[in-house]
Amino acid sequence: MFKLELEYKNEILFARLKGILDRKASYKINNYLNPVIKKHEIKNLVYNFEKLEMVDNSGIEALINSKYYIKCNKGAIKVCGVSNANLYLCKYLKFPVVKTEVDAYREMEAL
């Protein structure tokens, strides 16, 4: 089961992903998160992968779509809580990795 938890704080959207991001679950990114980014012109997004177990091709595509919307808004993405298994995914997607949400928050505030 996949769970997407969103929190907006000081112009930064935190998205905590839990479980398996597969074809069945990627609709939550595509139909909930991405429209929020587009509608509210969110510029800064922090993904927390701490409890993300696995991502398939559909999930990767959903994450790429988020990256597209953030770039359209001239913003930035950071990823924290990355396990060794998900480190390859972050490198593939060219997502900057930080250790914690607090680190991501501090870096985003400095932008």
Side-chain angles (χ1 to χ4, degrees), residues 37 63-74 77:
I37 292 169
L63 295 172
I64 289 170
N65 291 338
S66 297
K67 183 178 179 179
Y68 169 79
Y69 289 120
I70 292 294
K71 284 197 174 231
C72 286
N73 294 336
K74 297 181 175 125
I77 294 179

Side-chain angles (χ1 to χ4, degrees), residues 1-3 18-22 25 28 51 53:
M1 183 173 164
F2 179 77
K3 184 176 178 185
K18 299 175 184 176
I20 298 171
L21 181 55
D22 58 8
K28 289 186 179 181
K51 296 182 180 177
E53 296 171 22

